[in-house]
Amino acid sequence: MTPPLSPERLTRLLDDAVRPVTARPDALDRIRQGTRRRRTPRRAGVVLLTAAVLAVGTVTALLIAPGGGPARISGLGPSPARYQASSYANSQAQAGPPAAGQTRTKTLPTAAFSAAPSAAHPALPSTGLSVVPSAAQSAAPSHGVSAAPSAAQSAAPSVGVSAAPSIAVSSATQSVAPSAAPSAAPSTAVSAAPSATPSASPSANRPAAAGIPSVTNSAAWAIDGPGKPTSTVSIVAAGNVRTTVHFLLVVRTTARGTQTVPFSATSVTGMPPLGPVVVGAANAAKDGHTELFVLVDAGCCTEFWTIFRLVNGHIVQVRLAGAPVRLAVGGSVTANGGFSCSGPNLVTYTYAHQAASGTRESFLATRDTYRWVGASLLLVSQRQTTILGAQNPELAQYSGVACGALPQYVLKR
Amino acid sequence: MMIESPDQPDFDQRGLDDFTALYVSHYEQLLRLAVLLVGDVPAAEDVVQEAFIRVHRTVDGGAVRSPLAYLRQTVVNLARSEVRRRLVRLRHAPRPMPDAASAEEGAYAAISRQEVIRALRRIPARQREAVVLRFWADLPEAEIAELMGVSTGAVKGYISRAMSRLGLLLKESS
C-alpha cells in the first residue's frame, strides 16, 4: 500500500520544478506584435463585410425602386434575383418600422483595444526619484564608454508603429531630469501633457494591481514635439522585481501608441534603491530627435547610462560596437568620466590614474568622439593625453555631463 | 506559486497601460502554470502568449471583470488543447531524426526532466489541472470547479485520484 503524497510535498515539488522558468525579455513585444497582426485581418474583414452589405443594399434598392426595378426586369421573367428582392421587400413591409426604442442597426465588431492612449489616460506622474546614495554599492567599475556584457538585450523595435514623421522636440520642453525635489523634475513637458484626472484612467478597474509590481520609475518625454501631448516613459521589471536584470522601457505616446523596448540593467537589489532610472531626455544628436538617457548600473562613484532614441518610428536602445551603449558618468579621485553633446557628435571623456611620475601624479585622459548613425554610435576619433598633477585644472575637462538639461548624476547628491 | 504575489513591493504603476500592468503582474506565474500543465517551456510560452493576445482587446474596454481569472481560464483551456494536439501529433508524426540540442533546449529539457513534471504528464489532463490549480496556484476547490466547468465534488475526486497516482509515480521514479 503506497502512502498518498502529502499536499505539502507536492506543493514543494511543483514549486521547485517551475522556479527556473522566467519570462523572456521580449515576451511582451511578441504579444503586442501578435495582437497587432490579428487586428489587421479583423479590420479587413469589417471593411469587406461593410462593402458587401452596401453592395447588397444598393442592388436591392435598384430592384425595388418604385417604377424602376420591376419595369426594368419585367421582360426577363421571374429570376431568382427578382424573387429575392421581392421577398426582401415583403419581409421589410411585414416587419414594419422598428418599435420605439428599437433600432435595426447591426453593430459590427470593431477592434476594441488600441495601444494608443486616449486623451483620458492617467495624469502624468512625477519622476519621483528619491536620491539615496547606497552604502551597499560596489567599487567603481572601470570608466569609459563600454558595451554592456549582456547578450540578452535587443535593440529591435517592439511594437510596430508605422513610419511616422520624425519627432521634433525643443530642448526647452524635454527636460525630465530627476532631482531630489520631484516637483522640479518634469518641466514644461508635464504641463503639455493631457491633464485627465486619474479617475478617468482605465486603470481604475485594474485587477490585482495594487501591491504587485513593478514600475521602478516613470517620467515624461516630449517625444511628439513641443506643444503636443507628452509621452510617458516607464521602466518595468520583467520578472521578479527585486532580482531581475531584464527590464522594459514602456513608452506611451498619443501619436504612436505604446512601444516597449527590452533592456538589461543591474537589478534593484544590485542597485538600490531604484534599479534602473530614467535620467532625462536631451536633443543629443542635434537632429530634432530627442534621446532618452537611462541609468542602468552604478557603483560607489560611477554611474552608467544607456541611451534610447527614435529611429524610423521605433524607439530603440542605442548600440556601440554591437552591444548596448553604457556611458560612464562620474568617478573618484583616481578615475572619472563624463560626456558632452554640445556639437553634432557625442564626445565621451575619461581619465584614470596611471602612476606617479616623479613627485607628480599622472593621469591618462581620453576623449572619444562618436557619430550618431541610426541606432548606433560610431567611433570617429580618439585622442589621449597625459595630464600631470592631481590638482591640474585640465582634469576637470574630462569629467561631468554637458548635454541639454541632463543632470550630472542621478544617485549622487 | 502565488499567482497574486501579495508580497511584492508596492511600486508605482502610474504611466502603465492596463495591459502592461497585467503582463507584469501575472505573466511569469501564468507561464509557470502552463509549464506544469503542458510539461515544457516552449509550448507553455505559446499558450500564455496566446492567452494574453486574446485578453488584450478586452482589458481596456472593461469587458472582462477579472482579467486574471479570464487569463487563467484561457491558459487552462489552451493547455488542454495543446496536450490534445500533441497527442494527435505523436500518433501521426514520423520518428524524429537525432539532432544536437542547443543550450537553451538543454535548459528546457532540464525542466521537462523534473520527476514531478514527468509524473504530471502521466496522469489524466483533468486530474493534472485540478491538482496543479489546487496545490500550486493555491485556488480553492470551488474556484477550480468553476474554472474547469465541473462540480466541486468532481474536483475533489480528481485531486484524490491524482494524489494517489502521483504518489505512486514519484515513488517509482525515486
Side-chain angles (χ1 to χ4, degrees):
Chain A
M1 180 71 184
T2 307
L5 184 63
S6 74
E8 293 77 21
R9 183 170 170 234
L10 180 59
T11 301
R12 197 175 60 250
L13 285 171
L14 294 173
D15 206 19
D16 289 346
V18 292
R19 190 172 296 138
V21 177
T22 54
R24 289 174 189 263
D26 62 342
L28 181 57
D29 281 344
R30 292 168 64 182
I31 292 168
R32 288 196 193 281
Q33 286 166 5
T35 309
R36 200 178 60 250
R37 274 197 296 271
R38 296 220 185 148
R39 200 181 297 151
T40 309
R42 190 182 303 114
R43 281 182 184 159
V46 169
V47 170
L48 282 175
L49 187 61
T50 309
V53 167
L54 286 174
V56 168
T58 307
V59 170
T60 306
L62 283 173
L63 290 174
I64 65 174
R72 253 183 269 149
I73 61 175
S74 58
L76 300 177
S79 70
R82 187 177 174 185
Y83 285 133
Q84 204 172 7
S86 169
S87 62
Y88 175 78
N90 287 341
S91 67
Q92 289 294 96
Q94 286 164 7
Q102 291 182 342
T103 60
R104 288 194 185 148
T105 307
K106 183 177 181 182
T107 305
L108 295 176
T110 57
F113 181 88
S114 168
S118 67
H121 72 58
L124 283 174
S126 66
T127 53
L129 302 176
S130 57
V131 183
V132 185
S134 168
Q137 289 167 352
S138 58
S142 62
H143 289 71
V145 179
S146 62
S150 168
Q153 299 188 4
S154 164
S158 52
V159 176
V161 177
S162 60
S166 62
I167 52 170
V169 183
S170 79
S171 57
T173 62
Q174 58 191 256
S175 171
V176 291
S179 72
S183 61
S187 56
T188 48
V190 171
S191 62
S195 58
T197 59
S199 61
S201 163
S203 64
N205 59 357
R206 180 184 302 149
I212 308 188
S214 68
V215 175
T216 53
N217 53 77
S218 59
W221 182 14
I223 192 172
D224 289 321
K228 294 182 180 176
T230 306
S231 308
T232 53
V233 181
S234 306
I235 294 176
V236 182
N240 185 300
V241 75
R242 294 206 180 282
T243 57
T244 186
V245 296
H246 302 298
F247 295 88
L248 302 171
L249 183 80
V250 182
V251 185
R252 294 181 68 193
T253 71
T254 48
R256 300 161 207 283
T258 300
Q259 294 199 33
T260 312
V261 190
F263 70 99
S264 294
T266 302
S267 67
V268 174
T269 308
M271 191 169 49
L274 297 168
V277 169
V278 176
V279 177
N283 189 7
K286 301 292 185 294
D287 59 354
H289 294 241
T290 309
E291 281 71 38
L292 188 78
F293 292 78
V294 174
L295 168 74
V296 290
D297 196 4
C300 74
C301 317
T302 307
E303 297 175 355
F304 287 89
W305 297 1
T306 194
I307 308 171
F308 295 87
R309 71 184 310 221
L310 194 75
V311 178
N312 297 327
H314 300 290
I315 297 167
V316 297
Q317 188 175 15
V318 175
R319 298 174 82 81
L320 192 156
V325 65
R326 287 158 58 97
L327 301 171
V329 174
S332 64
V333 291
T334 57
N336 214 316
F339 67 93
S340 77
C341 56
S342 51
N345 298 321
L346 183 81
V347 183
T348 65
Y349 306 96
T350 59
Y351 68 82
H353 182 259
Q354 293 188 112
S357 172
T359 56
R360 307 182 73 183
E361 300 292 328
S362 173
F363 295 88
L364 177 65
T366 305
R367 171 198 161 104
D368 292 338
T369 303
Y370 295 90
R371 193 170 64 223
W372 299 90
V373 181
S376 300
L377 281 171
L378 291 185
L379 183 64
V380 177
S381 67
Q382 185 178 68
R383 198 181 69 192
Q384 289 191 320
T385 183
T386 299
I387 299 174
L388 297 177
Q391 305 301 322
N392 194 325
E394 281 187 49
L395 285 177
Q397 298 173 14
Y398 288 85
S399 64
V401 175
C403 188
L406 294 179
Q408 295 296 313
Y409 299 104
V410 178
L411 298 179
K412 298 173 95 175
R413 296 189 186 184
Chain B
M1 177 176 20
M2 294 83 60
I3 284 195
E4 299 293 339
S5 305
D7 56 342
Q8 296 269 12
D10 186 10
F11 280 86
D12 183 3
Q13 289 222 5
R14 291 173 300 175
L16 268 189
D17 60 291
D18 280 5
F19 182 74
T20 307
L22 192 66
Y23 167 85
V24 168
S25 305
H26 304 302
Y27 179 84
E28 208 160 80
Q29 294 301 323
L30 288 167
L31 178 62
R32 289 172 180 165
L33 171 66
V35 168
L36 290 173
L37 294 179
V38 301
D40 68 89
V41 178
E45 284 177 335
D46 289 345
V47 162
V48 181
Q49 180 176 324
E50 176 65 26
F52 270 89
I53 287 172
R54 289 188 185 186
V55 83
H56 193 195
R57 283 167 288 134
T58 59
V59 175
D60 274 2
V64 175
R65 197 173 46 185
S66 171
L68 174 59
Y70 186 93
L71 271 172
R72 200 188 284 132
Q73 173 121 34
T74 310
V75 165
V76 170
N77 290 343
L78 290 173
R80 197 180 298 159
S81 303
E82 168 63 25
V83 171
R84 207 177 296 134
R85 271 198 305 273
R86 190 180 294 171
L87 286 173
V88 173
R89 273 202 303 270
L90 279 176
R91 214 171 289 148
H92 299 288
R95 190 173 291 273
M97 295 293 288
D99 200 357
S102 68
E104 198 174 43
E105 284 167 345
Y108 292 159
I111 288 162
S112 302
R113 277 198 299 270
Q114 297 265 0
E115 283 173 15
V116 71
I117 300 280
R118 283 192 300 182
L120 280 173
R121 280 178 167 180
R122 294 177 63 183
I123 64 175
R126 290 275 173 172
Q127 293 180 21
R128 179 168 55 238
E129 288 165 14
V131 86
V132 166
L133 291 170
R134 180 72 192 93
F135 297 113
W136 184 80
D138 205 20
L139 294 184
E141 282 163 353
E143 201 169 331
I144 297 170
E146 190 181 348
L147 198 154
M148 293 177 66
V150 297
S151 67
T152 311
V155 171
K156 286 179 181 170
Y158 288 144
I159 290 174
S160 170
R161 286 194 289 278
M163 293 297 277
S164 302
R165 182 87 177 115
L166 284 174
L168 203 64
L169 290 169
L170 290 172
K171 191 184 177 194
E172 274 176 12
S173 61
S174 62

